[in-house]
Amino acid sequence: MKSDLASQREPLSTCPAGRAGGTFFVTRDEPLGRRQRFAARMHVFSEGDPAQRIYEVVEGRVMLYKLLPDGRRQIVELVDAGGVFGISTLPIYDGFAEALTACRVVSYDRSAAGQSIELWRRLTARVQVQFCALHAHAVVLGRKSATERMASFVMQCIPGRGGYDCPGPRGTDNSARIRLCMTRQEIADYLCLTIETVSRTLTALRRRGVVSIEKPEQLCVKDVCRVCRLTGDR
Amino acid sequence: MKSDLASQREPLSTCPAGRAGGTFFVTRDEPLGRRQRFAARMHVFSEGDPAQRIYEVVEGRVMLYKLLPDGRRQIVELVDAGGVFGISTLPIYDGFAEALTACRVVSYDRSAAGQSIELWRRLTARVQVQFCALHAHAVVLGRKSATERMASFVMQCIPGRGGYDCPGPRGTDNSARIRLCMTRQEIADYLCLTIETVSRTLTALRRRGVVSIEKPEQLCVKDVCRVCRLTGDR
DNA sequence: CGGACACTTGAATAGGGTCAAATTCTGTGG
DNA sequence: CCACAGAATTTGACCCTATTCAAGTGTCCG
């Protein structure tokens, strides 16, 4: 249960808004929100930065993580399109936000966001969705075996399936291709395992014919419902 | 990492609002909120109940938990005075809410809560505080040793200490008496340990002179800062 | 082709889990 | 106040899952 050093893959440093240092820059200011793009592996903010803005993901995936002083890392949340991040009770951010994929976000000044009722409603409604997801993730971290965790994670990567209102297989096609867009280390830090256990667990799932590993970051799930049953949730 | 059967201590069933079956009943209807009291160990709601109301804790402590089909339980959140619970994205609650102590709550009809801007702001602001706390708890569950978890839990039971703005010891008195108001099983289900490990860890802390165990549910922390260092957070 | 990096695999280890038994609390009734 | 029963907690012995440590094996890209 000891140290998991933060990913060896060095994250890119934040690109200051407006400075077109490459592929990412502020594209346009909106009345309230400011559009920004981030390349994969770029930091949106870091622990200790002044918590001035709230972010909404338009496209792509962002991870939020925290570090312990000795280097152990926990990815506390994965934020997909529609999700919100940058919520902080303190005057500074209490963790890091890093783009997992190239992504587009809109950010709002914290105080300004509270002015617009419309905007505030949208953001808070979304926070509630994520709040419930965090509760569910606590169960994953707290009470599930390595296999159940991997299965839960895989299900999370298949939009529209596995939820309360899962429609079941579309016709006879019960397969899914998924891009993990995370390294083994990141999956480990999200599921609270080690990189080796993630690798072994995936291999075991492959051997059992549950998934095929097309590329390290791309899986094909043969039978979604079977994975769903492996989550331990039902 | 296997089963942790739900607490043997049988929870009391919910008392229907308005029916004064004993010490708990609706005391008064307010314009928006409805005041209620719950005795310790009473359920406020259960998984699958229609998610019609949002609750605010006025006094006492409520725990939210989820069960896996095989009986494993995870207490996903502890809600103290000021906290909010009953947030659900679905038409039904996705977990259980049980009073740990006798407590007073105010509940609001979900749709009505959205009408009052004032109320909505207060509730959502509070949800954000808890949202950040869940992030922190993910680190506890994911990356901490048994001792670090217990230390984190103990710190959580000492109001005003250990946070970003911890004022440090008040004068020369750096001790604290705390009521856990949870059984070992509940602490285990919250920290994602077993009842035996909780007991052993507490005993170890006692042997090291970090805490004294006055009663099973009442501890005395000799040196708060020392416990704080044991959390692994700093 | 070769170096760097990510991933996989194997063997040994340890931290916490499991199972079982003893001890302490707590509440009740005499 | 004391004795008793049932529950909660503590403790002990052993075990298992996931971690740790240590090599490999791709794979990408200059």
Side-chain angles (χ1 to χ4, degrees), chain A residues 2 145-146 193-194 196-197 200:
Chain A
K2 265 287 157 185
S145 69
L193 297 167
T194 57
E196 294 94 334
T197 302
R200 276 188 255 270

Side-chain angles (χ1 to χ4, degrees), chain B residues 91-102:
Chain B
I92 55 175
Y93 293 119
D94 61 353
F96 301 81
E98 186 181 325
L100 279 172
T101 65

